[in-house]
Amino acid sequence: MKVFKILAVSAMALGMTSCISKKQYDALSSNYKQCIENVGERQREIQDLKSQNSALSSENNLLKSQHDALKSSLDACLSNTGKSSANIDKLVGEINSSNSYIKQLISSNAKNDSLNLALSNKLKRSLDNVADDDVQVKVLKGVVMISLSDKMLYKTGDFNILPAAQEVLGKVAKVINDYDKYSVLIEGNTDNAPLSSPNLPRDNWDLSALRGTAVAKILQTQFGVDPARITAGGRSEYNPKATNMSVSGRAENRRTEIIIMPKLDEFMKLMDITPKK
């Protein structure tokens, strides 16, 4: 409400420019623009939080269904007098272990989601002055994904990084270095326009892979990202985001994606958490 009150006051002030000095008008105008920018950023954060909440709700519903199924099995066991108490005790133990596992999994996922949301918001603020068509940042399935357009990074059919792109990669690298417990996956993607050459790149597989490794090398050599955290490769034309039947669709498919996620060993540890028997 405070933001909207400020906007209302600013709007009234702008309508009274004939009654105030130019200095006062400029100050109010600057304040109004800052409020508009703040509202936009809060709305983006709200959308991110809604997406996270929806994913957590779906996962929680699945875990509750599993818990209800175990409880139903216990009720059936208790109603069957022919079953031994040993089996009942074992089933009770499995339910207790399952409850503990559910709580641990939800807690771990909530922590990771909070970190990913903070990371995503930091990236969006760092790249706020870059055109949305060139850089997109979002949280998808528990990881933070940065999509960079090919026209910002390379010349057509080439894999050498353009000098103008290094400023954006430097901002991305700073955030990657701040979150040093995360792994970095870099994927080159192309459209389906055929590329045939006796020299590198020979085809879209070569082009996408060389573009992925080119970004990896810049992050390592120019901005100090630990290469042990980086995995780089190419997906050619086989991971399209849009149709290749239109110019705009092909442009969207030509991209390099930087995916920031928990390190693989930590992710596998989470997957190895199972109810005790």
Side-chain angles (χ1 to χ4, degrees):
M1 285 299 294
K2 288 183 178 180
V3 172
F4 290 104
K5 287 180 180 179
I6 293 172
L7 291 176
V9 171
S10 299
M12 292 175 61
L14 290 173
M16 300 172 61
T17 54
S18 61
C19 301
I20 60 176
S21 68
K22 185 177 185 304
K23 182 177 181 180
Q24 290 174 315
Y25 172 78
D26 289 342
L28 287 171
S29 178
S30 176
N31 185 41
Y32 175 76
K33 291 178 181 178
Q34 183 62 48
C35 288
I36 291 295
E37 292 175 0
N38 290 340
V39 168
E41 185 173 342
R42 296 293 86 77
Q43 289 175 338
R44 289 195 296 270
E45 291 178 355
I46 288 170
Q47 286 301 118
D48 287 338
L49 287 170
K50 285 182 177 179
S51 298
Q52 295 298 321
N53 184 58
S54 177
L56 284 173
S57 295
S58 298
E59 185 171 342
N60 191 42
N61 290 335
L62 175 61
L63 293 171
K64 283 182 178 179
S65 297
Q66 294 173 345
H67 177 260
D68 291 341
L70 285 170
K71 284 194 67 177
S72 297
S73 297
L74 175 60
D75 292 340
C77 185
L78 288 172
S79 65
N80 187 346
T81 57
K83 295 292 184 180
S84 67
S85 61
N87 288 336
I88 294 175
D89 290 341
K90 180 180 179 181
L91 190 54
V92 170
E94 289 179 353
I95 290 176
N96 290 335
S97 296
S98 178
N99 284 337
S100 176
Y101 168 63
I102 289 170
K103 290 178 182 178
Q104 187 174 4
L105 184 60
I106 290 175
S107 176
S108 297
N109 284 344
K111 180 180 179 182
N112 285 336
D113 288 336
S114 297
L115 287 172
N116 289 343
L117 184 59
L119 193 159
S120 174
N121 287 336
K122 187 170 184 178
L123 278 165
K124 288 177 180 177
R125 287 192 293 270
S126 297
L127 302 170
D128 191 51
N129 63 335
V130 183
D132 289 341
D133 291 341
D134 291 334
V135 179
Q136 297 179 13
V137 180
K138 61 182 178 180
V139 177
L140 181 65
K141 296 182 180 179
V143 302
V144 177
M145 182 177 293
I146 311 161
S147 184
L148 307 174
S149 68
D150 75 318
K151 66 183 177 66
M152 182 188 71
L153 293 174
Y154 328 95
K155 293 180 180 178
T156 302
D158 194 10
F159 57 87
N160 292 301
I161 304 294
L162 293 171
Q166 296 210 17
E167 179 182 357
V168 171
L169 292 178
K171 292 179 178 180
V172 173
K174 185 180 185 306
V175 177
I176 289 174
N177 286 329
D178 288 343
Y179 288 78
D180 58 358
K181 301 300 183 185
Y182 280 60
S183 291
V184 182
L185 174 61
I186 304 171
E187 294 181 347
N189 294 267
T190 69
D191 59 23
N192 67 347
L195 179 66
S196 180
S197 170
N199 303 313
L200 287 176
R202 292 181 293 267
D203 52 30
N204 282 331
W205 274 115
D206 280 350
L207 181 60
S208 64
L210 289 167
R211 286 180 167 181
T213 54
V215 171
K217 291 175 183 177
I218 290 290
L219 294 179
Q220 174 190 351
T221 60
Q222 298 294 325
F223 304 109
V225 177
D226 182 359
R229 299 171 56 195
I230 300 175
T231 301
R235 303 190 68 176
S236 187
E237 63 197 67
Y238 302 107
N239 184 35
K241 291 177 65 177
T243 176
N244 280 302
M245 300 299 290
S246 67
V247 173
S248 61
R250 290 193 296 274
E252 189 173 355
N253 291 334
R254 296 190 302 269
R255 69 198 187 279
T256 298
E257 293 180 342
I258 301 176
I259 302 166
I260 308 173
M261 56 188 177
K263 287 187 177 179
L264 184 59
D265 56 347
E266 295 179 6
F267 180 76
M268 294 306 295
K269 285 179 184 177
L270 178 60
M271 293 299 99
D272 286 341
I273 298 173
T274 55
K276 296 179 181 178
K277 295 184 179 180

